[in-house]
Amino acid sequence: MDLQIALLLGQDGITNGAIYALLSLALVLVFAVTRVIFIPQGEFVAFGALTLASFQAGKVPGTLWLLIGAGIAVAVVDLRAVLGRSRQRRRIFSILGWNLVYPVVLAILIHLAKPGELPLAAQVILALALVVPLGPMTYRLAFQPLAEASVLVLLIVAVGVHFALVGLGLLFFGAEGSRTPAFSDGSLTLGSLTVGAQTLWVLGSSLTLIVVLAFFFERTIYGKALRATAMNRTGARLMGISTVMAGKLSFLLASLIGAFSGVLIAPITTVYYDTGFLIGLKGFVGAIVGALSSYPLAALGALLVGLLEAFSSFWASAFKEVIVFTLIIPVLVWLSLTTHQVEEEE
Amino acid sequence: MSPRILLPVFVLSLLLAPQLVSEFHVTLLNYIGLYSIVAIGLVLLTGVGGLMSFGQAAFVGLGGYATAYLTTATSLPVWIASLGGSPWLGLLAGVVLTAAVALLLGLLTLRLSGHYLPLGTIAWSISLYFLFGNLEFLGGHTGISGIPALSMFGLPMKDARNFYYLIWVVVLLAAWLTINLLDSREGRAIRALKGGVVMAEAMGVDTARSKVVIFLIAALFGCVSGWLYAHLQRFVNPTPFSLNMSIEYLFMAVLGGAAHVWGAVLGAGVITVLKQWLQDWLPRLLGASGNFEMIVFGVLMIFVLQRARDGLWPILCRLVPQRAIARSVPVADVLPRKSLPEAGEVLLEARHVVKRFGGLVANNNMNLNVKAGEIMALIGPNGAGKSTMFNCVSGVDRATEGEVLFRGRPVTELDSREIAKLGMSRTFQHVRLLPTMTVLENAAIGAHLRGSRGVLPAMLHLERAEENRLLAEAARQVERVGLKSSMFEAAGSLALGQQRTLEIARALCADPCLLLLDEPAAGLRYMEKQALAELLRKLRGEGMGILLVEHDMDFVMGLADRVVVMEFGEKIAEGLPEGVQRNPAVIEAYLGGVD
């Protein structure tokens, strides 16, 4: 290996690592706020990428039908809860608006606008508008009725959601993979190193998103509400923070991060209906490095995963996944040596 | 039909099934059997123990690949070449390999909080899948073919009907071993893992060991299933050992009823048949080919957990008329007792104990001692730090500063389990019983340290003599505290006061020389308090030391030999009950001062 190759691999690793870092942040967030180990995170990556690819191929993505279906289901569940309670009549409009009207408006828009001919930025926005609402809807349908259940039960539900979404992904997008064109052409030359435009896009967008998230958590009332819920659910509720709102919001952020990551990597790698799962799990490895609680450590861990993956694909490409997932063994050793036995069960 | 004859009917129909159904259905039943073995392991691990593994299919794979490689390899090292080709060597190798991996993973993840085991096993599962697929000597993604057929008693098992009997014998064996294990001293320790770790540790149970044990058993069941699979199929490739299959195993256990051994068989049956059926119909319905049954399984799992979290088995059980089974306490010899220390010997001594939670000082410079043959009461207003003090001396929590001596030995750094071994036993202010277990079984957890037979004898029920002695002892203590009439009721169905009394029976089962009681009289009626006081006097008379936290002043003052009063984490008075009652500082603490 010479310096040239090392730089190339490092660039690859950092690019993928940036994506894993985004995902690991979302995983830490969702776990802290809702105690859900968010296994289906990767499906949002795949849905984001494949929805964009469908637009570019001039097709109507199947995720649209999923959005309409999930919207109807949420509306039914929510209306059943609200009807009969006169004080909450006002909520009916917002329920109908978000769950029935919004998907239909989006469907009409997609039908009229012919997304295949729109500029890329508009396609990306449409894809996100389509996929992101699926996050809070998933929370409403699968997790909210079990919000007080144990981590174990929530984890099995998360696996159930993962299974259902992967199956639906296969149904909507077929078994063939897709790749989208890069956001822009060209490259940047720094001495002997050539950096592709998409790499810059990935790094730039990831950094921007991380800064925006930091601002959101530090400076906005909703961000603070989420942090409060993560620290102490009961305490937060006593202060008037709705845990349902916090749950939906954290799922919204997670699906946004997931779908956006999908859009970012679609030009770099071919995305299949089940690709997201492995990508999401690598985010998990990063999150575990951060002991599922520290955002900076999780992001660093994810970068490490990206680099390890890139370099092991050079030395032993067949064993790339084995090496990456074995990384958590030393991390677990370290955690188990430094963590004191858990005193109190839930 | 009475529930008692259901098992024989089930076994008989298993016996006859291959003669009555088609070859295709025999094959289906074979698969249900193979999956049941794995799912039974998951019942023990997840349903009973509350731990979760996504690595079961990988353990099945280890079992399958170990035998596949050893029975087909042409160039084995010399020292095993003479045994080469034997499926039994393959089984042995698989078992050893599985045990080693499960031990390593278990030791790494089980000390951490609950969600690291599933995450660790996901990673292990994926690693192993790619390893199987990429190692040349294991045939890569094409796998290994030409695995020899098993032969037992000189009879080669080449057809599905022969194999059927072998598989189902193993299923019934696995179920029998698991049911036996759960109905034993070790089994009670395992059942305490879900919701009772603090209590179990205080009763001397090594819960970390129990966790590793069930993880190991579940992994070994998987390995055996894999071994059978390899010799049934005579071919292995990585696909059936993927993470998705691990998830399906988990679904089987959850759907069937994760806490019931027979639920595993039911779940394996339902999922297998449903999968077969969905794989036929869904592609036709949807006009495309693929594993669309995943969608149905995923949604089904969410639905089950939201609407029927205990799975199908309990629902099925409700359809069968339940007749109360007459149960009796086994008759057995009395367990040997430790000799109690001389009356007046100092049992417990706390010196300058400080406990801080962050900036909050819950105990500050606390000193107290308890002698054999006396009742010492620790009283004080709410929030004075009495329960914290209790936790510090019993090892449930660790004092920040200061020293605790028990029978002259420093125990400040010891875990509650170690302290329990020295002869200290306690109850909890917030009752810590296992609500679904019977009163007798709950009490018997207290006798954990008075038995010694391990997991293997328990699985084979070779420890019945010891088990009977433990149960008889538990029954004696239950009777002693006055709960004889509720012996076989679920502990959760008792009134709160009775639950506190049961906690005392459990503590007494440990044969302690020092008893720590945290508000034992709360929630008791007058007559029950009288009976409790009588019992405590009797224990004192036998030479036991008793440390008591209590709010009921009449109860305390009539009973205690000495009293320590705490306020704001500090001792404000100590002495005889009469003296303490007249102490101005105490009166001020309880009634407020007059300025």
Side-chain angles (χ1 to χ4, degrees):
Chain A
M1 171 183 286
D2 58 21
L3 185 70
Q4 194 67 36
I5 296 175
L7 283 174
L8 214 61
L9 290 175
Q11 184 191 334
D12 247 22
I14 290 175
T15 315
N16 285 332
I19 298 286
Y20 301 150
L22 279 180
L23 295 175
S24 68
L25 294 182
L27 293 167
V28 172
L29 169 69
V30 168
F31 182 73
V33 174
T34 63
R35 298 175 303 128
V36 172
I37 296 180
F38 197 43
I39 305 279
Q41 172 76 79
E43 274 62 71
F44 288 93
V45 178
F47 280 8
L50 294 172
T51 303
L52 181 65
S54 289
F55 282 146
Q56 291 177 348
K59 286 188 258 179
V60 175
T63 31
L64 179 62
W65 310 123
L66 182 60
L67 182 70
I68 293 173
I72 293 173
V74 172
V76 169
V77 177
D78 267 349
L79 285 179
R80 272 181 50 183
V82 165
L83 285 178
R85 283 191 241 165
S86 54
R87 285 201 305 133
Q88 297 194 334
R89 284 273 154 77
R90 276 186 309 143
R91 277 196 56 207
I92 294 176
F93 293 105
S94 100
I95 291 170
L96 293 177
W98 281 111
N99 297 304
L100 297 179
V101 178
Y102 173 77
V104 170
V105 168
L106 208 58
I108 294 171
L109 205 64
I110 289 170
H111 187 74
L112 293 179
K114 301 213 171 39
E117 293 153 19
L118 289 175
L120 185 67
Q123 290 177 342
V124 168
I125 291 172
L126 260 189
L128 292 180
L130 222 171
V131 176
V132 173
L134 290 172
M137 287 177 177
T138 306
Y139 180 77
R140 176 66 190 95
L141 293 174
F143 296 100
Q144 191 182 318
L146 291 165
E148 302 305 318
S150 65
V151 174
L152 188 80
V153 167
L154 291 173
L155 175 55
I156 303 177
V157 174
V159 172
V161 173
H162 155 69
F163 248 49
L165 290 183
V166 169
L168 287 169
L170 175 62
L171 181 63
F172 296 151
F173 303 109
E176 293 88 40
S178 305
R179 202 183 255 246
T180 57
F183 288 6
S184 54
D185 294 323
S187 58
L188 182 71
T189 310
L190 293 170
S192 64
L193 178 68
T194 311
V195 184
Q198 191 62 27
T199 302
L200 293 177
W201 271 106
V202 170
L203 292 179
S205 327
S206 309
L207 270 177
T208 313
L209 199 52
I210 289 174
V211 170
V212 170
L213 282 175
F215 178 81
F216 172 75
F217 282 117
E218 291 293 333
R219 293 295 161 84
T220 66
I221 190 79
Y222 279 100
K224 286 178 181 170
L226 279 190
R227 279 169 56 206
T229 312
M231 245 174 248
N232 186 336
R233 285 170 68 80
T234 318
R237 192 186 289 162
L238 289 175
M239 293 298 113
I241 297 168
S242 153
T243 43
V244 169
M245 182 282 295
K248 282 187 184 161
L249 187 55
S250 63
F251 270 64
L252 181 88
L253 287 172
S255 59
L256 173 68
I257 290 173
F260 189 62
S261 307
V263 167
L264 284 177
I265 53 155
I268 302 175
T269 172
T270 309
V271 177
Y272 298 85
Y273 73 100
D274 60 353
T275 305
F277 185 48
L278 272 188
I279 298 178
L281 283 181
K282 285 170 192 161
F284 256 116
V285 177
I288 290 177
V289 174
L292 287 179
S293 57
S294 157
Y295 291 95
L297 272 182
L300 272 180
L303 270 182
L304 183 66
V305 170
L307 286 171
L308 189 69
E309 183 182 37
F311 282 89
S312 52
S313 69
F314 177 78
W315 275 307
S317 73
F319 298 101
K320 183 178 85 175
E321 315 289 356
V322 181
I323 293 171
V324 168
F325 285 103
T326 314
L327 172 68
I328 77 160
I329 299 278
V331 175
L332 289 175
V333 172
W334 178 72
L335 279 177
S336 78
L337 289 179
T338 51
T339 317
H340 185 60
Q341 174 95 31
V342 215
E343 282 89 8
E344 202 73 12
E345 61 264 22
E346 294 169 50
Chain B
M1 208 162 37
S2 104
R4 270 176 177 256
I5 65 165
L6 282 180
L7 185 62
V9 168
F10 175 63
V11 173
L12 195 72
S13 43
L14 275 182
L15 211 61
L16 293 176
Q19 315 306 326
L20 302 174
V21 301
S22 69
E23 185 84 18
F24 169 75
H25 287 106
V26 171
T27 306
L28 203 59
L29 283 171
N30 279 344
Y31 278 103
I32 294 176
L34 289 175
Y35 298 156
S36 296
I37 300 169
V38 187
I40 288 172
L42 274 177
V43 162
L44 186 66
L45 185 71
T46 307
V48 178
L51 305 172
M52 197 154 139
S53 158
F54 285 115
Q56 294 318 99
F59 289 122
V60 177
L62 271 188
Y65 265 99
T67 194
Y69 174 68
L70 286 175
T71 51
T72 57
T74 43
S75 54
L76 286 177
V78 185
W79 56 277
I80 44 169
S82 60
L83 287 165
S86 160
W88 303 107
L89 178 73
L91 178 62
L92 183 73
V95 164
V96 171
L97 210 59
T98 305
V101 173
L103 264 181
L104 179 73
L105 274 177
L107 292 176
L108 280 183
T109 53
L110 289 171
R111 283 191 63 239
L112 300 171
S113 55
H115 43 268
Y116 283 100
L117 182 66
L119 292 176
T121 47
I122 284 182
W124 133 254
S125 197
I126 292 178
S127 295
L128 197 77
Y129 176 78
F130 283 104
L131 210 57
F132 283 153
N134 285 303
L135 286 177
E136 223 153 273
F137 74 96
L138 294 179
H141 282 286
T142 29
I144 301 176
S145 54
I147 301 169
L150 275 184
S151 105
M152 285 186 115
F153 313 112
L155 194 80
M157 296 212 245
K158 286 196 170 162
D159 98 56
R161 280 175 213 270
N162 286 338
F163 220 91
Y164 168 92
Y165 288 107
L166 176 62
I167 289 176
W168 280 92
V169 164
V170 176
V171 174
L172 292 178
L173 198 67
W176 182 70
L177 291 172
T178 309
I179 291 172
N180 279 354
L181 175 62
L182 289 177
D183 174 28
S184 73
R185 169 178 165 271
E186 291 281 357
R188 284 188 291 274
I190 292 166
R191 285 151 81 191
L193 290 178
K194 209 165 139 185
V197 173
V198 174
M199 176 275 290
E201 286 277 332
M203 293 302 134
V205 176
D206 187 344
T207 51
R209 176 179 162 276
S210 292
K211 286 180 186 172
V212 173
V213 162
I214 55 176
F215 186 56
L216 199 60
I217 294 174
L220 289 175
F221 282 177
C223 165
V224 171
S225 171
W227 177 74
L228 288 168
Y229 173 89
H231 290 287
L232 171 70
Q233 285 278 315
R234 319 263 304 271
F235 163 74
V236 289
N237 73 353
T239 315
F241 312 128
S242 67
L243 183 59
N244 272 2
M245 197 57 214
S246 281
I247 295 176
E248 277 182 34
Y249 284 128
L250 193 71
F251 284 179
M252 289 174 195
V254 172
L255 178 70
H260 305 271
V261 171
W262 297 115
V265 182
L266 177 71
V270 173
I271 293 271
T272 311
V273 172
L274 196 63
K275 188 174 181 177
Q276 191 69 39
W277 190 74
L278 288 173
Q279 277 179 341
D280 278 351
W281 280 98
L282 281 181
R284 277 189 238 173
L285 204 68
L286 299 171
S289 62
N291 302 331
F292 298 123
E293 75 276 2
M294 288 177 83
I295 306 172
V296 178
F297 285 172
V299 173
L300 181 69
M301 219 23 59
I302 299 167
F303 185 79
V304 165
L305 286 170
Q306 288 187 357
R307 294 302 164 88
R309 209 179 292 177
D310 297 328
L312 293 178
W313 185 256
I315 298 174
L316 219 59
C317 282
R318 261 175 256 147
L319 298 178
V320 180
Q322 293 288 313
R323 207 182 307 159
I325 305 157
R327 279 182 285 190
S328 59
V329 177
V331 183
D333 319 333
V334 181
L335 283 174
R337 291 196 60 180
K338 275 183 284 209
S339 55
L340 284 170
E342 296 277 321
E345 182 193 321
V346 176
L347 294 176
L348 178 75
E349 196 174 1
R351 290 180 190 159
H352 311 292
V353 167
V354 178
K355 177 69 192 175
R356 288 191 203 97
F357 295 104
L360 179 84
V361 185
N363 286 158
N364 192 13
N365 199 21
M366 274 299 296
N367 292 288
L368 60 81
N369 63 63
V370 185
K371 301 190 186 81
E374 76 164 353
I375 297 178
M376 162 70 132
L378 184 59
I379 65 170
N382 280 327
K386 305 181 297 286
S387 289
T388 305
M389 189 68 200
F390 245 54
N391 285 343
C392 284
V393 296
S394 64
V396 167
D397 232 327
R398 204 159 282 185
T400 322
E401 283 168 34
E403 197 181 19
V404 181
L405 298 170
F406 182 53
R407 306 197 70 179
R409 262 189 72 171
V411 295
T412 327
E413 297 296 316
L414 294 187
D415 290 332
S416 58
R417 186 173 74 236
E418 304 293 329
I419 297 179
K421 278 182 196 159
L422 300 174
M424 188 192 300
S425 197
R426 65 167 293 179
T427 68
F428 292 90
Q429 184 192 359
H430 301 288
V431 173
R432 289 176 189 266
L433 295 168
L434 298 167
T436 54
M437 278 164 62
T438 64
V439 167
L440 180 67
E441 285 174 309
N442 265 289
I445 294 175
H448 187 84
L449 287 174
R450 299 174 78 183
S452 60
R453 304 295 298 268
V455 174
L456 265 182
M459 292 182 94
L460 298 166
H461 263 193
L462 296 175
E463 36 58 281
R464 287 295 98 179
E466 181 189 275
E467 171 73 2
N468 286 344
R469 281 198 294 275
L470 294 180
L471 286 180
E473 171 70 11
R476 259 192 298 280
Q477 302 301 347
V478 169
E479 203 175 330
R480 196 173 188 187
V481 300
L483 290 174
K484 190 184 181 190
S485 58
S486 321
M487 193 80 79
F488 296 104
E489 280 168 31
S493 71
L494 298 182
L496 190 61
Q498 290 176 313
Q499 296 193 2
R500 290 187 183 285
T501 325
L502 174 54
E503 288 231 328
I504 300 175
R506 184 179 66 203
L508 287 177
C509 282
D511 185 25
C513 62
L514 177 67
L515 194 59
L516 268 54
L517 303 177
D518 204 344
E519 300 198 14
L524 291 188
R525 283 171 292 189
Y526 181 71
M527 292 304 285
E528 290 170 332
K529 281 184 188 172
Q530 296 289 307
L532 177 61
E534 198 46 49
L535 173 68
L536 296 186
R537 279 194 196 98
K538 205 163 145 229
L539 293 171
R540 171 174 62 187
E542 287 169 14
M544 201 178 284
I546 298 173
L547 178 61
L548 186 73
V549 163
E550 189 48 71
H551 275 303
D552 183 329
M553 283 307 135
D554 287 339
F555 184 78
V556 169
M557 294 306 169
L559 191 63
D561 301 299
R562 287 190 301 140
V563 179
V564 166
V565 189
M566 283 181 81
E567 193 191 15
F568 299 126
E570 294 185 20
K571 182 159 81 177
I572 57 169
E574 179 172 12
L576 300 176
E578 301 79 34
V580 165
Q581 273 173 307
R582 284 194 296 271
N583 186 317
V586 177
I587 295 171
E588 189 178 324
Y590 271 90
L591 300 176
V594 185
D595 292 322

